[in-house]
Amino acid sequence: MQIQKLNIVNFKNHLNREFVFSKKINCFVGKNGVGKTNILDTMYYLSFSKSFINTTDSQNITLGSDFFSLRGLYIENEIQEEILLSFDSHKGKTMKRNGKEYDKISSHIGLLPLIIISPLDIKLLFEGSAERRKFLDSTLSQFDSSHLSALQNYNRALLQRNKILKTFAGNPTQSVMLEMWNPHLISNGEKLFQNRKNFVENFTPEFLKYYEKIAVSNLEKPLLKYSSQLENEKMEILLQKNFHRDEILQYTSSGVHKDDLIFSIDDLPLKNCGSQGQQKTFLTALKLAQYSFLKNSGKKPILLLDDIFDKLDSHRVSSILDLIQHDSGFGQIFITHTKGDDITKMLQSFTDDFEIFEISDQIS
């Protein structure tokens, strides 16, 4: 999958921009704050119908405007796809594929596979388990629409069950009402658990391969471990055992919405004991393995590298560039960097198939 042309109107600090891209490597260079990451965010939007930075669409409209519009022209196997996403503060969000509006925007997920490696990935280490579940589910949902459906159904049932626990606390009819939603939690929860478990088992060897290629020392021992309450109990049993506890807490205390992905290095927690270089290497290897996993599902994802060379030594930078240039599994790549001369020299030592785009702020 490649993006040939991108048009941006009224998105954050970009009033009107159009880019025509190289098939291989494209670099956005400029000072901090000029909107390089925002350009990557438009590509993320066109793949996932949402921002990876601001969860509220209205926050992405240029100040003083009441809409934004993103248009991407893609090609794969000589077949072109035009994707238009627009958001109007009065009419809401619309998304069109080749001029036809989606009935359900969620059905678009997976058409344009994309992986982003960003400083925001540090949230995978230091924020709650929801971030790590999001990593698992976003990967699975890009090649398995049934996983996305199960996730949506589970979250809907969980929301209703929690609402009943809170609204009807102490009401004799509460248990009857809960029984209406428990089957949805059980069936979808078991599917999510099995999908996540199988994914981590198959994903781990790829992750270890990339970590070894990037790391300074091959003596480091990184580890991924999937943690779920369903490892020891079926979802149905968990709901039964924790029913009275849920009544007291007024929310569902057990299930796959408590799952986690544990990161460690040399048997020690990565977030507490890993150096900045090790943490960055771990997260980069995690995302490159995610890329490889999606590629094996049939499509080469677009790869976005947002300021990833920060806090990485020259050895690790060279390892990453060498990897993405000489591994035939990588397709189109987009990079942001603050210094044009630096990134140009780095890329010239690996390839001549790249474009540099100088970015300046359109809003002063």
Side-chain angles (χ1 to χ4, degrees), residues 124-125 127-136 260-261 263:
L124 285 167
L125 286 183
E127 294 198 5
S129 59
E131 285 294 327
R132 294 177 287 279
R133 288 194 300 276
K134 180 181 175 182
F135 169 79
L136 293 173
D260 204 351
L261 191 58
F263 302 152

Side-chain angles (χ1 to χ4, degrees), residues 42 51 59 64 122 179-180 184 190 278 280 313 316 359:
T42 67
S51 166
Q59 293 177 342
I122 202 70
E179 285 300 320
M180 295 174 57
H184 299 282
E190 293 286 353
Q278 287 174 324
K280 195 93 175 195
D313 55 52
R316 296 179 204 247
I359 306 299

Side-chain angles (χ1 to χ4, degrees), residues 148-298:
L148 178 59
S149 178
L151 181 65
Q152 291 172 330
N153 291 336
Y154 182 91
N155 287 337
R156 189 179 301 115
L158 180 65
L159 178 66
Q160 292 299 324
R161 191 176 193 273
N162 287 343
K163 188 179 294 185
I164 292 168
L165 285 167
K166 186 172 184 178
T167 306
F168 295 90
N171 191 313
T173 64
Q174 184 186 69
S175 59
V176 176
M177 299 176 70
L178 291 176
E179 285 300 320
M180 295 174 57
W181 292 102
N182 284 352
H184 299 282
L185 278 181
I186 293 165
S187 60
N188 290 294
E190 293 286 353
K191 179 177 178 60
L192 293 173
F193 165 70
Q194 201 58 56
N195 286 352
R196 291 169 179 173
K197 181 180 179 181
N198 292 341
F199 168 74
V200 174
E201 289 176 357
N202 295 321
F203 177 82
T204 297
E206 281 295 301
F207 161 72
L208 294 174
K209 179 185 76 174
Y210 283 111
Y211 190 95
E212 184 178 348
K213 288 182 178 180
I214 301 171
V216 174
S217 171
N218 59 11
L219 298 178
E220 298 173 1
K221 295 180 180 178
L223 179 66
L224 293 176
K225 182 182 177 183
Y226 175 48
S227 173
S228 176
Q229 296 171 339
L230 272 68
E231 285 283 4
N232 302 312
E233 298 272 19
K234 291 287 187 181
M235 185 76 187
E236 183 176 7
I237 302 301
L238 285 171
L239 291 176
Q240 291 173 356
K241 288 176 63 174
N242 291 285
F243 173 69
H244 293 300
R245 184 168 185 260
D246 292 350
E247 281 187 304
I248 296 169
L249 295 173
Q250 297 184 13
Y251 64 83
T252 307
S253 61
S254 57
V256 294
H257 57 287
K258 299 292 184 179
D259 287 0
D260 204 351
L261 191 58
I262 310 301
F263 302 152
S264 63
I265 190 163
D266 297 331
D267 296 322
L268 297 171
L270 180 65
K271 71 175 182 179
N272 298 325
C273 303
S275 67
Q276 282 191 331
Q278 287 174 324
Q279 291 173 353
K280 195 93 175 195
T281 299
F282 195 104
L283 293 172
T284 302
L286 195 73
K287 288 303 192 74
L288 291 177
Q290 184 187 28
Y291 181 99
S292 180
F293 197 90
L294 288 176
K295 176 201 69 178
N296 293 335
S297 71

